[in-house]
Amino acid sequence: MAQNTPQSAELAQLLRTGPFHLALRSALTARGLALTRVQHKLAQRGITIGVTSLSYWQQGARRPQRPESLRAVRALEEVLELPAQSLHRLLVPQGGARPEVERPVARTYRSLVAPADALQRLFAELEAPADGGLHTVGHHERVRIGPQRQLVERESHQVVRAHRDGVDRYVAIHRGEAGCEPGRVRVHAGENCRLGRVRGHAEAGVVVAELLFDTRLRAGDTHVFGYVFEDGSGGPSSEYLRGFSFAGCQYVLQVRFDEAALPVRCRRFAQASAGAPRSAQQELTLSGRYHAVHLVEQGVRPGILGIGWDWG
């Protein structure tokens, strides 16, 4: 391993402290090996594993747990020229106990979502604690704006990790535009979840939906699931934003416009809280064929990210 470089120092730190997926990603970067090449080198050692699984491991979307996966991790240490057990111990500490999963530093929803009082009331109706025991690892959202300039649909594909045992649900939040009628909002559960209770607040135009998992997660477990909110009941939309309580996830937001209603200008922005001034503003260009703009944030900070647009 190269010494005295920022890259090698970062890798050495991650091998000491974890988490596993960041240590693996740093090792892959340091070695400059494509996943297909890693797969080939593992096969030479009698280990069969798919490129998709390796990709999920380095993204944090999957965590090696089965015996055959842990054997692959030990072989990975050889392929990546890492000290023996350096990756393996991040998954199975000495003695075989499960590693303690630290709860990430969090911000309260009150500072991120308005109106916070309405949201708090809805969470109370669902008997949902402020900390649901999950933090997001990756989130891909697709928002569709209709011909009347209204938000008609938003689809989420989400990867979460539990930071305590026994978690079996996630509460998704939808805030419509002015005039939104929660009774007309439809929620659809996608892969790996089913729809539970749905509650709305008419004055605030907010809907919360309980998404139930078919398994109880233990601390450190990840879960991949999807869901859709269909709206279209509110007035014209001029932005879409999302608040993040926890830091560190990857977030992708794509906003697609109907050909009959195209904005004249689009921009991404960030905010420290709901009432804070907007920063990190950057102009975005509509794609020609699909009339869409997007943002990608690799390491989200607690706060707000979004895309705004102007109509002609």
Short mmCIF file of all heavy atoms in Angstrom, two decimals, residues 109-177:
data_model
loop_
_atom_site.label_atom_id
_atom_site.label_comp_id
_atom_site.label_asym_id
_atom_site.label_seq_id
_atom_site.Cartn_x
_atom_site.Cartn_y
_atom_site.Cartn_z
N TYR A 109 -36.96 16.69 12.40
CA TYR A 109 -37.82 17.06 11.28
C TYR A 109 -38.40 18.46 11.46
O TYR A 109 -38.75 19.12 10.48
CB TYR A 109 -38.95 16.05 11.12
CG TYR A 109 -38.68 15.03 10.04
CD1 TYR A 109 -38.50 13.69 10.36
CD2 TYR A 109 -38.59 15.42 8.72
CE1 TYR A 109 -38.24 12.75 9.36
CE2 TYR A 109 -38.34 14.49 7.72
CZ TYR A 109 -38.16 13.16 8.04
OH TYR A 109 -37.90 12.25 7.07
N ARG A 110 -38.51 18.92 12.70
CA ARG A 110 -39.10 20.25 12.93
C ARG A 110 -38.31 21.33 12.22
O ARG A 110 -38.86 22.36 11.83
CB ARG A 110 -39.18 20.55 14.43
CG ARG A 110 -40.11 19.64 15.21
CD ARG A 110 -40.31 20.17 16.63
NE ARG A 110 -41.03 21.43 16.61
CZ ARG A 110 -42.36 21.53 16.60
NH1 ARG A 110 -43.11 20.44 16.57
NH2 ARG A 110 -42.93 22.72 16.60
N SER A 111 -37.00 21.12 12.06
CA SER A 111 -36.17 22.13 11.41
C SER A 111 -36.13 21.96 9.90
O SER A 111 -35.60 22.81 9.19
CB SER A 111 -34.74 22.07 11.96
OG SER A 111 -34.11 20.86 11.59
N LEU A 112 -36.70 20.85 9.39
CA LEU A 112 -36.57 20.53 7.99
C LEU A 112 -37.88 20.58 7.21
O LEU A 112 -37.87 20.84 6.01
CB LEU A 112 -35.97 19.12 7.82
CG LEU A 112 -34.59 18.90 8.44
CD1 LEU A 112 -34.20 17.44 8.32
CD2 LEU A 112 -33.55 19.78 7.77
N VAL A 113 -38.98 20.31 7.88
CA VAL A 113 -40.26 20.18 7.19
C VAL A 113 -41.27 21.15 7.77
O VAL A 113 -41.43 21.24 8.99
CB VAL A 113 -40.82 18.74 7.31
CG1 VAL A 113 -42.15 18.62 6.59
CG2 VAL A 113 -39.82 17.74 6.75
N ALA A 114 -41.91 21.87 6.91
CA ALA A 114 -42.98 22.78 7.34
C ALA A 114 -44.29 22.31 6.71
O ALA A 114 -44.31 21.90 5.55
CB ALA A 114 -42.66 24.22 6.91
N PRO A 115 -45.41 22.36 7.46
CA PRO A 115 -45.51 22.76 8.86
C PRO A 115 -45.21 21.59 9.79
O PRO A 115 -45.81 20.53 9.69
CB PRO A 115 -46.97 23.21 8.99
CG PRO A 115 -47.68 22.38 7.96
CD PRO A 115 -46.72 22.14 6.83
N ALA A 116 -44.30 21.80 10.72
CA ALA A 116 -43.83 20.72 11.59
C ALA A 116 -44.92 20.23 12.53
O ALA A 116 -44.99 19.05 12.86
CB ALA A 116 -42.60 21.19 12.37
N ASP A 117 -45.79 21.14 13.01
CA ASP A 117 -46.83 20.73 13.97
C ASP A 117 -47.79 19.72 13.35
O ASP A 117 -48.20 18.75 13.99
CB ASP A 117 -47.60 21.96 14.46
CG ASP A 117 -46.74 22.84 15.36
OD1 ASP A 117 -45.74 22.33 15.90
OD2 ASP A 117 -47.07 24.03 15.51
N ALA A 118 -48.18 19.94 12.08
CA ALA A 118 -49.08 19.01 11.41
C ALA A 118 -48.42 17.65 11.25
O ALA A 118 -49.05 16.61 11.44
CB ALA A 118 -49.48 19.57 10.05
N LEU A 119 -47.16 17.66 10.90
CA LEU A 119 -46.44 16.40 10.72
C LEU A 119 -46.33 15.65 12.05
O LEU A 119 -46.51 14.43 12.11
CB LEU A 119 -45.05 16.67 10.15
CG LEU A 119 -44.26 15.46 9.68
CD1 LEU A 119 -44.96 14.76 8.55
CD2 LEU A 119 -42.86 15.87 9.27
N GLN A 120 -46.06 16.38 13.11
CA GLN A 120 -45.95 15.76 14.42
C GLN A 120 -47.27 15.10 14.83
O GLN A 120 -47.29 14.01 15.39
CB GLN A 120 -45.53 16.81 15.45
CG GLN A 120 -45.16 16.23 16.81
CD GLN A 120 -44.58 17.30 17.72
OE1 GLN A 120 -44.81 18.50 17.54
NE2 GLN A 120 -43.83 16.87 18.71
N ARG A 121 -48.38 15.75 14.52
CA ARG A 121 -49.69 15.21 14.85
C ARG A 121 -49.95 13.91 14.07
O ARG A 121 -50.47 12.94 14.61
CB ARG A 121 -50.78 16.23 14.53
CG ARG A 121 -52.18 15.80 14.98
CD ARG A 121 -53.21 16.82 14.53
NE ARG A 121 -52.85 18.18 14.90
CZ ARG A 121 -53.55 19.26 14.53
NH1 ARG A 121 -54.62 19.12 13.77
NH2 ARG A 121 -53.17 20.46 14.91
N LEU A 122 -49.57 13.89 12.78
CA LEU A 122 -49.78 12.70 11.97
C LEU A 122 -48.92 11.53 12.46
O LEU A 122 -49.36 10.38 12.49
CB LEU A 122 -49.48 13.00 10.50
CG LEU A 122 -50.42 14.00 9.82
CD1 LEU A 122 -49.95 14.31 8.40
CD2 LEU A 122 -51.84 13.47 9.80
N PHE A 123 -47.69 11.82 12.84
CA PHE A 123 -46.81 10.77 13.37
C PHE A 123 -47.39 10.21 14.67
O PHE A 123 -47.30 9.00 14.93
CB PHE A 123 -45.41 11.33 13.61
CG PHE A 123 -44.48 11.15 12.44
CD1 PHE A 123 -44.77 11.70 11.20
CD2 PHE A 123 -43.32 10.42 12.57
CE1 PHE A 123 -43.93 11.53 10.12
CE2 PHE A 123 -42.46 10.24 11.50
CZ PHE A 123 -42.76 10.79 10.26
N ALA A 124 -47.99 11.07 15.48
CA ALA A 124 -48.60 10.60 16.72
C ALA A 124 -49.77 9.67 16.44
O ALA A 124 -49.97 8.67 17.15
CB ALA A 124 -49.05 11.80 17.55
N GLU A 125 -50.54 9.96 15.39
CA GLU A 125 -51.67 9.09 15.03
C GLU A 125 -51.19 7.70 14.62
O GLU A 125 -51.89 6.70 14.85
CB GLU A 125 -52.48 9.72 13.89
CG GLU A 125 -53.28 10.94 14.30
CD GLU A 125 -54.14 11.46 13.16
OE1 GLU A 125 -54.48 10.65 12.27
OE2 GLU A 125 -54.46 12.66 13.16
N LEU A 126 -50.02 7.64 14.02
CA LEU A 126 -49.45 6.36 13.62
C LEU A 126 -48.62 5.72 14.73
O LEU A 126 -48.03 4.65 14.52
CB LEU A 126 -48.58 6.52 12.37
CG LEU A 126 -49.28 6.98 11.09
CD1 LEU A 126 -48.28 7.08 9.94
CD2 LEU A 126 -50.41 6.03 10.72
N GLU A 127 -48.52 6.42 15.86
CA GLU A 127 -47.70 5.95 16.99
C GLU A 127 -46.26 5.71 16.53
O GLU A 127 -45.61 4.73 16.92
CB GLU A 127 -48.29 4.68 17.59
CG GLU A 127 -49.70 4.86 18.12
CD GLU A 127 -50.34 3.57 18.56
OE1 GLU A 127 -50.29 2.60 17.76
OE2 GLU A 127 -50.85 3.52 19.69
N ALA A 128 -45.80 6.60 15.67
CA ALA A 128 -44.45 6.48 15.11
C ALA A 128 -43.50 7.38 15.89
O ALA A 128 -43.75 8.58 16.04
CB ALA A 128 -44.44 6.89 13.64
N PRO A 129 -42.40 6.84 16.42
CA PRO A 129 -41.44 7.67 17.16
C PRO A 129 -40.70 8.62 16.24
O PRO A 129 -40.66 8.42 15.01
CB PRO A 129 -40.48 6.63 17.77
CG PRO A 129 -40.57 5.47 16.84
CD PRO A 129 -41.98 5.44 16.34
N ALA A 130 -40.13 9.66 16.81
CA ALA A 130 -39.37 10.62 16.02
C ALA A 130 -38.21 9.94 15.30
O ALA A 130 -37.91 10.24 14.15
CB ALA A 130 -38.85 11.74 16.91
N ASP A 131 -37.56 9.00 15.98
CA ASP A 131 -36.50 8.21 15.36
C ASP A 131 -37.06 6.83 15.08
O ASP A 131 -37.28 6.02 15.99
CB ASP A 131 -35.28 8.12 16.28
CG ASP A 131 -34.19 7.20 15.73
OD1 ASP A 131 -34.26 6.86 14.52
OD2 ASP A 131 -33.29 6.83 16.48
N GLY A 132 -37.33 6.55 13.81
CA GLY A 132 -37.90 5.26 13.44
C GLY A 132 -36.92 4.11 13.42
O GLY A 132 -37.28 2.98 13.08
N GLY A 133 -35.65 4.39 13.77
CA GLY A 133 -34.66 3.32 13.82
C GLY A 133 -33.98 3.04 12.50
O GLY A 133 -33.22 2.08 12.37
N LEU A 134 -34.24 3.88 11.48
CA LEU A 134 -33.66 3.69 10.15
C LEU A 134 -32.95 4.96 9.70
O LEU A 134 -33.39 6.07 10.01
CB LEU A 134 -34.75 3.36 9.13
CG LEU A 134 -35.54 2.06 9.32
CD1 LEU A 134 -36.72 2.03 8.36
CD2 LEU A 134 -34.65 0.85 9.08
N HIS A 135 -31.87 4.80 8.98
CA HIS A 135 -31.29 5.93 8.26
C HIS A 135 -31.05 5.51 6.82
O HIS A 135 -30.82 4.34 6.52
CB HIS A 135 -30.00 6.43 8.92
CG HIS A 135 -28.94 5.40 9.11
ND1 HIS A 135 -28.91 4.54 10.19
CD2 HIS A 135 -27.86 5.09 8.36
CE1 HIS A 135 -27.84 3.75 10.10
NE2 HIS A 135 -27.19 4.06 8.99
N THR A 136 -31.15 6.46 5.92
CA THR A 136 -31.10 6.18 4.50
C THR A 136 -29.66 6.04 4.02
O THR A 136 -28.79 6.84 4.34
CB THR A 136 -31.80 7.30 3.70
OG1 THR A 136 -33.17 7.36 4.11
CG2 THR A 136 -31.74 7.03 2.21
N VAL A 137 -29.42 4.99 3.23
CA VAL A 137 -28.11 4.76 2.60
C VAL A 137 -28.12 5.30 1.18
O VAL A 137 -27.15 5.90 0.72
CB VAL A 137 -27.78 3.26 2.61
CG1 VAL A 137 -26.48 2.99 1.86
CG2 VAL A 137 -27.70 2.73 4.03
N GLY A 138 -29.23 5.10 0.46
CA GLY A 138 -29.36 5.59 -0.91
C GLY A 138 -30.82 5.86 -1.22
O GLY A 138 -31.70 5.14 -0.75
N HIS A 139 -31.07 6.90 -2.00
CA HIS A 139 -32.45 7.27 -2.31
C HIS A 139 -32.48 7.85 -3.72
O HIS A 139 -31.77 8.80 -4.04
CB HIS A 139 -32.97 8.32 -1.32
CG HIS A 139 -34.45 8.50 -1.36
ND1 HIS A 139 -35.14 9.18 -0.38
CD2 HIS A 139 -35.39 8.11 -2.25
CE1 HIS A 139 -36.43 9.18 -0.67
NE2 HIS A 139 -36.60 8.54 -1.81
N HIS A 140 -33.31 7.26 -4.59
CA HIS A 140 -33.51 7.72 -5.95
C HIS A 140 -34.96 8.11 -6.10
O HIS A 140 -35.85 7.26 -5.97
CB HIS A 140 -33.13 6.63 -6.95
CG HIS A 140 -33.14 7.10 -8.38
ND1 HIS A 140 -32.76 6.31 -9.44
CD2 HIS A 140 -33.49 8.28 -8.93
CE1 HIS A 140 -32.89 6.99 -10.58
NE2 HIS A 140 -33.34 8.18 -10.28
N GLU A 141 -35.21 9.38 -6.35
CA GLU A 141 -36.58 9.88 -6.50
C GLU A 141 -36.80 10.39 -7.93
O GLU A 141 -35.94 11.07 -8.49
CB GLU A 141 -36.85 11.04 -5.54
CG GLU A 141 -37.25 10.61 -4.17
CD GLU A 141 -37.89 11.76 -3.40
OE1 GLU A 141 -37.21 12.77 -3.16
OE2 GLU A 141 -39.05 11.63 -3.01
N ARG A 142 -37.98 10.07 -8.46
CA ARG A 142 -38.38 10.58 -9.76
C ARG A 142 -39.71 11.31 -9.60
O ARG A 142 -40.70 10.72 -9.15
CB ARG A 142 -38.49 9.44 -10.78
CG ARG A 142 -37.15 8.86 -11.16
CD ARG A 142 -37.26 7.80 -12.23
NE ARG A 142 -37.91 6.59 -11.72
CZ ARG A 142 -37.98 5.46 -12.40
NH1 ARG A 142 -37.47 5.37 -13.61
NH2 ARG A 142 -38.57 4.40 -11.87
N VAL A 143 -39.71 12.57 -9.97
CA VAL A 143 -40.89 13.43 -9.83
C VAL A 143 -41.41 13.78 -11.22
O VAL A 143 -40.62 14.13 -12.11
CB VAL A 143 -40.53 14.71 -9.04
CG1 VAL A 143 -41.70 15.69 -9.03
CG2 VAL A 143 -40.10 14.36 -7.62
N ARG A 144 -42.71 13.68 -11.40
CA ARG A 144 -43.31 13.99 -12.71
C ARG A 144 -44.25 15.19 -12.56
O ARG A 144 -45.15 15.19 -11.71
CB ARG A 144 -44.05 12.78 -13.26
CG ARG A 144 -44.58 12.96 -14.68
CD ARG A 144 -44.88 11.60 -15.32
NE ARG A 144 -45.86 10.83 -14.58
CZ ARG A 144 -47.18 10.93 -14.79
NH1 ARG A 144 -47.65 11.77 -15.70
NH2 ARG A 144 -48.01 10.19 -14.08
N ILE A 145 -44.02 16.20 -13.40
CA ILE A 145 -44.85 17.40 -13.43
C ILE A 145 -45.77 17.32 -14.65
O ILE A 145 -45.31 17.10 -15.77
CB ILE A 145 -43.98 18.68 -13.49
CG1 ILE A 145 -42.97 18.69 -12.33
CG2 ILE A 145 -44.87 19.92 -13.45
CD1 ILE A 145 -43.58 18.67 -10.96
N GLY A 146 -47.08 17.51 -14.43
CA GLY A 146 -48.06 17.30 -15.48
C GLY A 146 -48.29 18.50 -16.39
O GLY A 146 -47.67 19.56 -16.22
N PRO A 147 -49.20 18.36 -17.33
CA PRO A 147 -49.45 19.42 -18.33
C PRO A 147 -50.05 20.69 -17.74
O PRO A 147 -49.96 21.75 -18.35
CB PRO A 147 -50.41 18.75 -19.32
CG PRO A 147 -51.06 17.65 -18.55
CD PRO A 147 -50.03 17.17 -17.60
N GLN A 148 -50.65 20.59 -16.56
CA GLN A 148 -51.18 21.77 -15.88
C GLN A 148 -50.19 22.32 -14.86
O GLN A 148 -50.57 23.08 -13.96
CB GLN A 148 -52.51 21.41 -15.18
CG GLN A 148 -53.56 20.82 -16.10
CD GLN A 148 -53.89 21.73 -17.26
OE1 GLN A 148 -54.03 22.94 -17.09
NE2 GLN A 148 -54.00 21.14 -18.46
N ARG A 149 -48.93 21.93 -14.99
CA ARG A 149 -47.84 22.39 -14.14
C ARG A 149 -47.93 21.87 -12.70
O ARG A 149 -47.29 22.40 -11.79
CB ARG A 149 -47.77 23.92 -14.11
CG ARG A 149 -47.57 24.56 -15.48
CD ARG A 149 -47.46 26.07 -15.39
NE ARG A 149 -47.16 26.67 -16.68
CZ ARG A 149 -46.99 27.98 -16.88
NH1 ARG A 149 -47.10 28.82 -15.86
NH2 ARG A 149 -46.72 28.45 -18.09
N GLN A 150 -48.73 20.82 -12.48
CA GLN A 150 -48.91 20.29 -11.14
C GLN A 150 -48.06 19.04 -10.94
O GLN A 150 -47.73 18.33 -11.89
CB GLN A 150 -50.38 19.96 -10.88
CG GLN A 150 -50.89 18.65 -11.48
CD GLN A 150 -51.24 18.74 -12.96
OE1 GLN A 150 -50.55 19.37 -13.74
NE2 GLN A 150 -52.32 18.06 -13.33
N LEU A 151 -47.70 18.77 -9.69
CA LEU A 151 -46.99 17.55 -9.35
C LEU A 151 -47.99 16.40 -9.40
O LEU A 151 -48.93 16.36 -8.60
CB LEU A 151 -46.37 17.66 -7.96
CG LEU A 151 -45.38 16.56 -7.54
CD1 LEU A 151 -44.45 17.08 -6.45
CD2 LEU A 151 -46.09 15.30 -7.03
N VAL A 152 -47.79 15.49 -10.34
CA VAL A 152 -48.76 14.41 -10.50
C VAL A 152 -48.28 13.09 -9.89
O VAL A 152 -49.10 12.24 -9.54
CB VAL A 152 -49.14 14.19 -11.98
CG1 VAL A 152 -49.84 15.41 -12.54
CG2 VAL A 152 -47.91 13.85 -12.82
N GLU A 153 -46.97 12.93 -9.75
CA GLU A 153 -46.47 11.66 -9.22
C GLU A 153 -45.04 11.82 -8.76
O GLU A 153 -44.25 12.57 -9.33
CB GLU A 153 -46.55 10.57 -10.30
CG GLU A 153 -46.08 9.20 -9.86
CD GLU A 153 -46.10 8.20 -11.01
OE1 GLU A 153 -47.13 7.56 -11.20
OE2 GLU A 153 -45.07 8.10 -11.73
N ARG A 154 -44.72 11.10 -7.70
CA ARG A 154 -43.30 10.96 -7.32
C ARG A 154 -43.05 9.53 -6.88
O ARG A 154 -43.82 8.93 -6.14
CB ARG A 154 -42.91 11.95 -6.24
CG ARG A 154 -43.49 11.74 -4.87
CD ARG A 154 -42.88 12.75 -3.90
NE ARG A 154 -43.29 12.57 -2.54
CZ ARG A 154 -42.69 11.75 -1.68
NH1 ARG A 154 -41.67 11.00 -2.08
NH2 ARG A 154 -43.12 11.64 -0.44
N GLU A 155 -42.00 8.96 -7.41
CA GLU A 155 -41.65 7.57 -7.17
C GLU A 155 -40.31 7.51 -6.44
O GLU A 155 -39.36 8.20 -6.81
CB GLU A 155 -41.54 6.81 -8.49
CG GLU A 155 -41.12 5.36 -8.36
CD GLU A 155 -40.95 4.68 -9.70
OE1 GLU A 155 -41.16 5.35 -10.74
OE2 GLU A 155 -40.61 3.49 -9.72
N SER A 156 -40.26 6.70 -5.40
CA SER A 156 -39.05 6.58 -4.60
C SER A 156 -38.54 5.15 -4.60
O SER A 156 -39.33 4.20 -4.47
CB SER A 156 -39.31 7.00 -3.15
OG SER A 156 -39.38 8.40 -3.02
N HIS A 157 -37.23 5.00 -4.76
CA HIS A 157 -36.54 3.72 -4.59
C HIS A 157 -35.50 3.98 -3.52
O HIS A 157 -34.59 4.80 -3.70
CB HIS A 157 -35.88 3.28 -5.90
CG HIS A 157 -35.31 1.90 -5.83
ND1 HIS A 157 -36.06 0.77 -5.97
CD2 HIS A 157 -34.04 1.48 -5.61
CE1 HIS A 157 -35.30 -0.30 -5.87
NE2 HIS A 157 -34.06 0.11 -5.64
N GLN A 158 -35.64 3.30 -2.37
CA GLN A 158 -34.88 3.69 -1.19
C GLN A 158 -34.15 2.50 -0.58
O GLN A 158 -34.64 1.36 -0.57
CB GLN A 158 -35.84 4.29 -0.15
CG GLN A 158 -35.19 5.15 0.90
CD GLN A 158 -36.18 6.10 1.55
OE1 GLN A 158 -37.28 6.30 1.04
NE2 GLN A 158 -35.80 6.68 2.66
N VAL A 159 -32.94 2.77 -0.08
CA VAL A 159 -32.15 1.79 0.65
C VAL A 159 -31.92 2.35 2.05
O VAL A 159 -31.41 3.47 2.20
CB VAL A 159 -30.78 1.52 -0.02
CG1 VAL A 159 -30.04 0.40 0.71
CG2 VAL A 159 -30.95 1.20 -1.49
N VAL A 160 -32.30 1.59 3.07
CA VAL A 160 -32.16 2.06 4.44
C VAL A 160 -31.35 1.05 5.25
O VAL A 160 -31.25 -0.12 4.88
CB VAL A 160 -33.53 2.28 5.13
CG1 VAL A 160 -34.27 3.42 4.48
CG2 VAL A 160 -34.37 1.00 5.11
N ARG A 161 -30.77 1.52 6.36
CA ARG A 161 -30.08 0.64 7.30
C ARG A 161 -30.66 0.88 8.69
O ARG A 161 -30.90 2.02 9.09
CB ARG A 161 -28.57 0.89 7.30
CG ARG A 161 -27.85 0.15 8.41
CD ARG A 161 -26.33 0.22 8.33
NE ARG A 161 -25.84 -0.66 7.28
CZ ARG A 161 -25.18 -0.25 6.20
NH1 ARG A 161 -24.96 1.04 6.02
NH2 ARG A 161 -24.77 -1.10 5.29
N ALA A 162 -30.87 -0.20 9.42
CA ALA A 162 -31.38 -0.09 10.79
C ALA A 162 -30.24 0.22 11.75
O ALA A 162 -29.16 -0.36 11.65
CB ALA A 162 -32.07 -1.39 11.20
N HIS A 163 -30.47 1.16 12.67
CA HIS A 163 -29.48 1.40 13.72
C HIS A 163 -29.98 0.95 15.09
O HIS A 163 -29.42 1.30 16.13
CB HIS A 163 -29.03 2.87 13.75
CG HIS A 163 -30.11 3.90 13.73
ND1 HIS A 163 -30.48 4.54 12.57
CD2 HIS A 163 -30.92 4.37 14.70
CE1 HIS A 163 -31.46 5.40 12.83
NE2 HIS A 163 -31.74 5.31 14.12
N ARG A 164 -31.07 0.17 15.10
CA ARG A 164 -31.49 -0.56 16.29
C ARG A 164 -32.25 -1.81 15.86
O ARG A 164 -32.69 -1.92 14.71
CB ARG A 164 -32.35 0.32 17.21
CG ARG A 164 -33.63 0.85 16.60
CD ARG A 164 -34.41 1.60 17.67
NE ARG A 164 -35.54 2.33 17.13
CZ ARG A 164 -36.72 1.81 16.83
NH1 ARG A 164 -36.91 0.50 16.99
NH2 ARG A 164 -37.71 2.54 16.36
N ASP A 165 -32.40 -2.74 16.76
CA ASP A 165 -33.08 -4.00 16.45
C ASP A 165 -34.60 -3.82 16.41
O ASP A 165 -35.16 -2.96 17.08
CB ASP A 165 -32.74 -5.07 17.50
CG ASP A 165 -31.31 -5.55 17.42
OD1 ASP A 165 -30.70 -5.38 16.35
OD2 ASP A 165 -30.80 -6.07 18.43
N GLY A 166 -35.27 -4.68 15.61
CA GLY A 166 -36.72 -4.77 15.65
C GLY A 166 -37.47 -3.84 14.73
O GLY A 166 -38.70 -3.77 14.79
N VAL A 167 -36.80 -3.16 13.82
CA VAL A 167 -37.48 -2.21 12.93
C VAL A 167 -38.18 -2.98 11.82
O VAL A 167 -37.58 -3.83 11.16
CB VAL A 167 -36.47 -1.21 12.33
CG1 VAL A 167 -37.19 -0.21 11.43
CG2 VAL A 167 -35.72 -0.48 13.43
N ASP A 168 -39.45 -2.67 11.60
CA ASP A 168 -40.20 -3.38 10.56
C ASP A 168 -41.08 -2.48 9.72
O ASP A 168 -41.98 -2.95 9.03
CB ASP A 168 -41.06 -4.49 11.18
CG ASP A 168 -42.15 -3.95 12.11
OD1 ASP A 168 -42.18 -2.72 12.34
OD2 ASP A 168 -42.96 -4.76 12.60
N ARG A 169 -40.82 -1.16 9.75
CA ARG A 169 -41.65 -0.26 8.95
C ARG A 169 -40.92 1.06 8.71
O ARG A 169 -39.94 1.39 9.39
CB ARG A 169 -42.97 0.02 9.65
CG ARG A 169 -42.88 0.80 10.95
CD ARG A 169 -44.15 0.63 11.76
NE ARG A 169 -44.36 -0.78 12.08
CZ ARG A 169 -45.55 -1.31 12.32
NH1 ARG A 169 -46.63 -0.58 12.28
NH2 ARG A 169 -45.65 -2.60 12.61
N TYR A 170 -41.43 1.79 7.74
CA TYR A 170 -40.91 3.12 7.40
C TYR A 170 -42.10 4.04 7.15
O TYR A 170 -43.09 3.61 6.54
CB TYR A 170 -40.03 3.04 6.14
CG TYR A 170 -39.53 4.37 5.64
CD1 TYR A 170 -38.39 4.95 6.17
CD2 TYR A 170 -40.20 5.04 4.61
CE1 TYR A 170 -37.92 6.17 5.71
CE2 TYR A 170 -39.72 6.26 4.14
CZ TYR A 170 -38.59 6.82 4.70
OH TYR A 170 -38.13 8.03 4.24
N VAL A 171 -42.04 5.25 7.64
CA VAL A 171 -43.11 6.21 7.41
C VAL A 171 -42.66 7.22 6.36
O VAL A 171 -41.71 7.97 6.57
CB VAL A 171 -43.51 6.93 8.72
CG1 VAL A 171 -44.60 7.97 8.43
CG2 VAL A 171 -44.01 5.93 9.75
N ALA A 172 -43.33 7.20 5.20
CA ALA A 172 -43.02 8.10 4.10
C ALA A 172 -43.90 9.34 4.19
O ALA A 172 -45.07 9.27 4.59
CB ALA A 172 -43.24 7.41 2.76
N ILE A 173 -43.34 10.48 3.80
CA ILE A 173 -44.03 11.77 3.91
C ILE A 173 -44.20 12.37 2.53
O ILE A 173 -43.27 12.39 1.72
CB ILE A 173 -43.21 12.74 4.79
CG1 ILE A 173 -42.97 12.13 6.17
CG2 ILE A 173 -43.92 14.08 4.91
CD1 ILE A 173 -41.94 12.90 6.98
N HIS A 174 -45.39 12.89 2.27
CA HIS A 174 -45.66 13.61 1.03
C HIS A 174 -46.30 14.94 1.37
O HIS A 174 -47.30 15.00 2.08
CB HIS A 174 -46.60 12.81 0.12
CG HIS A 174 -47.03 13.57 -1.10
ND1 HIS A 174 -46.18 13.83 -2.16
CD2 HIS A 174 -48.22 14.16 -1.42
CE1 HIS A 174 -46.83 14.52 -3.09
NE2 HIS A 174 -48.06 14.74 -2.66
N ARG A 175 -45.72 16.01 0.86
CA ARG A 175 -46.30 17.34 1.04
C ARG A 175 -46.70 17.87 -0.33
O ARG A 175 -45.86 18.07 -1.19
CB ARG A 175 -45.32 18.30 1.70
CG ARG A 175 -45.97 19.65 2.00
CD ARG A 175 -44.97 20.65 2.53
NE ARG A 175 -45.61 21.94 2.79
CZ ARG A 175 -44.97 23.08 2.92
NH1 ARG A 175 -43.65 23.11 2.84
NH2 ARG A 175 -45.62 24.21 3.12
N GLY A 176 -48.00 18.07 -0.53
CA GLY A 176 -48.49 18.56 -1.81
C GLY A 176 -48.36 20.05 -1.96
O GLY A 176 -47.95 20.77 -1.03
N GLU A 177 -48.72 20.54 -3.12
CA GLU A 177 -48.71 21.97 -3.38
C GLU A 177 -49.95 22.62 -2.75
O GLU A 177 -50.84 21.95 -2.22
CB GLU A 177 -48.69 22.22 -4.89
CG GLU A 177 -47.47 21.68 -5.59
CD GLU A 177 -46.18 22.33 -5.14
OE1 GLU A 177 -46.23 23.48 -4.65
OE2 GLU A 177 -45.12 21.69 -5.27
#
